[in-house]
Every structure is written in structure tokens, then in C-alpha cells.
Amino acid sequence: MSNQKIKKGIDRRSFLHSAAAVGAGLVFSPMVSAAADDVKKADDINVALLGAGEQGQVLVTACLKIPGLRFKAVCDIWTEYNLKKASRLLKAYKHENNTYTDYREMLDKEKDLDAVIIATPDFWHAEQTIAALKAGLHVYCEKEMSNTLEGARKMVQAARETGKLLQIGHQRRSNPRYLHCYNKLLKEANILGRITTINGQWNRAARPDIGAPEKYAIDQATLEKYGFKSMHQFRNWRWYKGLGGGPVVDIGSHQIDIYNWFLEASPKSVMAGGGTDYYEKETHQWYDTVMAIYEYQIPSGTVRAFYQTITTNSNQGYFESFMGDQATLVISESAGKGAVYREPSAPDWDKWVKLGYVKEPVKKETPAQEKPKTGAVLDVRETLAPPAYELPVKMDKLYHQPHLENFFDAVRGKAKLTCPAEIGYETAVTVLKVNDAVEAARKLDFKPEEFKV
């Protein structure tokens, strides 16, 4: 290697590692990454993918729309399927990459990496994240941060000790629609008034366990080396205790994280009921149905927050609903849901419409048979649906793209992380206790110090 090439590599890494500590404004680029040449720019970021399963491939697809990224390595224990598939995809987009089965070998051999994306099962997150941070890399780690609070705590400590960035994959924190609701509707306009209640859910239809073609099965020795007893456990790890946390952790944490964010608070207590009511308990050790109630204390008073996840029916999908004495905000990562419903007693909203915080609702004529006659008194049980003021902000990118953009912009020193390790830890404390509450069959209290590392 020529001295010129060596100097260029050092300059690029020095730029990225120093810029990451600056943290200025958020800058998103609309360009699509192609990595069509081998000429390195000062702010190019060399990336490795650790965990090339379904979620890893979702993240890679989003990354391919972000300029300035160069995937140099892919690591996955399912070499005959996940690893080859992800590697081929990246090469098709001109990202020449090396492949590995063991992440330790990858970290040892790949000396020109700047960052790693970790999308492995939850029980590997702490060990792999800490190793990557200590190797001098910035880390984007999928949620749940860890399947244990001890693991999550060590991740926070490692990020602090190494000075490297650790972004946790609660991607709604970078979603422009959620940011608009938090910054404009709640913080500035206080459009809901006093928030008293939250409802949220993620309902999924019943589905069979995930299988795998027999010819691609991982050998038993490799499975056991990486913590799995069988291919079924490898493919369905989220249902197994010690590996994942079940649906309330896997999908519920995304939304419960929003409860904490929008209220700017951590809960005081949680009670929950649930069980493995539908699937076989032997292969579904975590609960397939969970219903939880949190209690928050915020400056304006008490907020009670309900959350439900079921895996036997998909009715109404997933959303969060924040209810105040002046309005209700319904928001979802799904683009089809998102509006504010004004209470009849709320003050006029012309100001917020003119400022573009909400859109003027489309006025629909009530059917003649439903119109109350002049002088008629409505039955107290009858209520008219409040008008829906739609959100003016659209999400025109892949769901994970803005969060990944935020991470890589932070690496370049152009942004601050929207979900750093400390926030991810607070959410882990909030969510993991739900399973404890189900098992205890009683209300569990949180202590303020539980949320701190």
C-alpha cells in the first residue's frame, strides 16, 4: 500500500472519529447510495453488518439509500442462507465485502471499519456491542437493547468508557411525524391540554412458527456454539426465555418508548396480565398475549397508560393514542394513521391550522337521518365523532432510514443521536418489567434510580 493511500485512510478515520464528538445540526441527504467507485471521501463511513437475518436485511435496504456508506463486511452464523444472501445484495450495489461467521474474527481482521450495525438476537446484543465499542467502532444496535438489564447497563458503561456512539434502534425517535408531534403539537402548542390517558396496541394475526429449508440447516455444533438448541429455536428465538423477551419486548418496546418520550417521564408502576394462551408453551415460552397498565406522574398530574399486544388477531394493527382534556392524538408508524381529534370544549384551533401544525379537517355532511331535529335533545349516550385534524408531515422514506441517517450524521459530527444508550436503557427498564409483572401477578413499583446507570 502506498504512503498516499495510508495517509488518506488515516485522514478519513481521524475526521470521522473527531467529528463524532462535535454534534451539530441534523442533516439528511436525499441521495441514493451506490458506492460505484473506490475513491474514498473524507466523510465516507466503512460499515459492517452483524446479523444478516430479516431485520438486518431491512436495515441494509434502508442504508442503501444513504450516501457515503461503504459496507466492508457481513457476519452471520447462517452462512448458507442469511450470510450469502446479504453479501450478494451488497455486492450488487458495488459494496465489496468480506463474510464471517464469528463476529470476533470480523473485529480482529477488519481494521478499516468505522461503525457496525448489530441486528442479532437480543441475548447477543450486550456482548457484541461492547466488543465493537472496545474495538473503536460506533454502534447502531437494534432494540431491545438487551434481554437483561445487566447487559444493557454494561452497554451504557462501555459507550461512556470508549467515547464511541451507541444508537439504539427505537426508530420512531427519528421519524419526522413523531418529531412533529413532540416538538410542535405537545411542546409548543400543548394542543392536547392536560394528558390523562394513553392507549396503545400492536395486534398481529395468528401465524405458524418460522421454519427453514432442511438443506440449509445449520449444523448442531454451530447452533450450540452460538446459544441455540435447535433450528426451531434459532428461527423463533423471540419466543424463548433467555434469548428474547416475547412480543411485548419485541414489538411493544417501540411504542412504550414513545410513552416515556412524549410524557418526558418514566413510569412509577406497572401491572400486567398475560399468558401463553394460544400457542404451545413448550415452543412459546414467552406470553403470546399481554395487557399492561402503567402509572406516570407528570407535573400536570397522573397519567394512566394502557398497552396491549396480542398475536392471534390483527384488528386495528398498531398505534398509540394520547388523550388530553382538549384533544386526542392518534399516531402510528403506519402512514395511514395520524390525526388530532379536538374536544368540543377546546379553544379554537385556527392558530395551529394557520401555522401548519395541523390540517383543517374535511367537513363531511352528516346523513339526514342522523341529524338531530331543531330543539331535539341528544341522548346522553349519543356522541358525535370529533373532527380529525390530519398531520401535515409525511414520512416518505423507509421506516428505519431516518434513524440510520441520524446515526451516521452523528458519526460525521453533524447531529446528536436521537436514541443514545441512556435512553435505550430507560426504555429497557420500562419494558422488561412488564414480563416480571405478569409473572408476579401484582403491581410492581419503579424506583427512580432504576432508570439511571
Side-chain angles (χ1 to χ4, degrees):
M1 182 180 291
S2 69
N3 291 335
Q4 184 178 3
K5 286 186 177 180
I6 292 175
K7 188 175 188 301
K8 182 178 286 187
I10 293 173
D11 289 346
R12 182 184 61 77
R13 286 183 67 87
S14 297
F15 171 84
L16 290 172
H17 289 193
S18 61
V22 178
L26 188 64
V27 178
F28 288 159
S29 172
M31 296 173 60
V32 176
S33 175
D37 56 58
D38 292 327
V39 179
K40 290 182 180 178
K41 298 177 182 178
D43 64 349
D44 279 352
I45 299 175
N46 288 346
V47 186
L49 174 66
L50 176 47
E54 181 180 350
Q55 187 60 24
Q57 292 171 39
V58 166
L59 296 177
V60 164
T61 301
C63 283
L64 290 174
K65 295 184 175 293
I66 303 174
L69 306 184
R70 304 168 64 89
F71 277 90
K72 308 295 286 186
V74 181
C75 182
D76 195 281
I77 69 169
W78 198 3
T79 58
E80 294 303 312
Y81 197 78
N82 285 347
L83 188 61
K84 289 183 177 180
K85 183 178 179 181
S87 180
R88 284 197 301 265
L89 172 66
L90 287 167
K91 287 180 179 179
Y93 283 86
K94 310 299 183 184
H95 293 260
E96 292 301 320
N97 60 87
N98 300 317
T99 57
Y100 299 89
T101 300
D102 194 307
Y103 79 93
R104 288 159 287 216
E105 181 186 7
M106 180 185 75
L107 294 178
D108 182 58
K109 290 185 176 180
E110 296 289 332
K111 299 301 184 183
D112 198 28
L113 293 175
D114 302 302
V116 60
I117 294 172
I118 297 178
T120 51
D122 294 357
F123 74 105
W124 273 109
H125 285 180
E127 179 178 321
Q128 292 170 341
T129 295
I130 292 167
L133 291 168
K134 290 184 176 181
L137 306 181
H138 304 294
V139 177
Y140 181 106
C141 181
E142 259 301 345
K143 64 93 207 116
E144 190 59 44
M145 188 174 183
S146 173
N147 65 320
T148 69
L149 288 183
E150 180 184 5
R153 190 179 301 112
K154 290 179 178 178
M155 291 167 71
V156 176
Q157 292 168 341
R160 290 174 177 173
E161 291 168 3
T162 61
K164 299 303 173 185
L165 299 175
L166 174 54
Q167 175 95 306
I168 306 302
H170 293 287
Q171 71 270 4
R172 284 168 175 79
R173 294 237 176 196
S174 299
N175 186 306
R177 298 172 79 235
Y178 280 84
L179 287 168
H180 175 80
C181 290
Y182 174 75
N183 291 319
K184 298 298 184 182
L185 301 185
L186 300 183
K187 294 286 288 181
E188 187 173 337
N190 190 29
I191 205 165
L192 304 185
R194 176 182 167 181
I195 297 175
T196 59
T197 313
I198 304 173
N199 273 301
Q201 70 169 50
W202 194 322
N203 291 347
R204 283 182 169 177
R207 60 182 69 178
D209 290 351
I210 305 171
E214 189 172 338
K215 66 178 180 178
Y216 294 129
I218 302 172
D219 65 90
Q220 190 63 28
T222 300
L223 284 170
E224 292 180 3
K225 177 181 178 181
Y226 292 99
F228 304 98
K229 295 179 180 179
S230 64
M231 273 302 285
H232 182 276
Q233 197 179 71
F234 170 71
R235 295 288 281 152
N236 299 275
W237 58 268
R238 292 172 173 83
W239 289 106
Y240 287 88
K241 293 184 177 181
L243 306 184
V248 74
V249 172
D250 182 42
I251 55 181
S253 62
H254 280 300
Q255 298 167 285
I256 294 168
D257 175 61
I258 305 303
Y259 292 7
N260 289 2
W261 179 25
F262 279 15
L263 292 179
E264 297 182 330
S266 299
K268 285 189 60 181
S269 66
V270 62
M271 63 178 72
T276 307
D277 304 327
Y278 184 83
Y279 297 99
E280 294 293 331
K281 289 182 171 63
E282 182 178 345
T283 55
H284 292 67
Q285 296 173 354
W286 282 121
Y287 317 118
D288 56 34
T289 300
V290 174
M291 298 180 181
I293 300 176
Y294 289 97
E295 180 182 332
Y296 291 82
Q297 286 294 328
I298 62 176
S300 60
T302 300
V303 179
R304 303 194 187 279
F306 173 78
Y307 184 76
Q308 161 185 298
T309 178
I310 63 174
T311 55
T312 56
N313 184 289
S314 62
N315 184 51
Q316 296 186 61
Y318 56 100
F319 64 86
E320 304 90 59
S321 174
F322 293 81
M323 289 171 277
D325 57 3
Q326 295 182 14
T328 297
L329 166 66
V330 177
I331 181 68
S332 173
E333 196 173 38
S334 174
K337 294 179 181 177
V340 187
Y341 299 85
R342 178 175 171 268
E343 288 288 302
S345 59
D348 187 76
W349 282 8
D350 284 348
K351 175 182 177 180
W352 308 125
V353 173
K354 290 177 181 177
L355 287 172
Y357 289 8
V358 290
K359 289 184 177 181
E360 184 72 44
V362 177
K363 292 181 171 59
K364 296 181 180 179
E365 188 67 24
T366 306
Q369 66 270 24
E370 295 182 12
K371 285 185 179 180
K373 295 179 180 179
T374 302
V377 178
L378 284 176
D379 190 304
V380 293
R381 294 167 294 184
E382 301 295 332
T383 58
L384 298 177
Y389 290 74
E390 293 185 1
L391 302 178
V393 180
K394 300 295 182 183
M395 171 65 167
D396 57 359
K397 297 180 179 181
L398 298 177
Y399 286 159
H400 298 81
Q401 187 177 339
H403 205 46
L404 287 159
E405 288 175 331
N406 170 256
F407 170 65
F408 291 117
D409 281 340
V411 170
R412 295 187 177 101
K414 298 178 180 179
K416 292 184 178 180
L417 294 178
T418 56
C419 191
E422 287 80 4
I423 289 177
Y425 181 78
E426 290 172 4
T427 299
V429 172
T430 305
V431 176
L432 291 175
K433 205 154 192 169
V434 174
N435 283 333
D436 294 340
V438 174
E439 184 176 358
R442 62 181 177 84
K443 179 180 177 181
L444 299 181
D445 293 326
F446 291 95
K447 297 178 181 178
E449 57 267 26
E450 288 185 66
F451 298 95
K452 304 299 181 183
V453 178

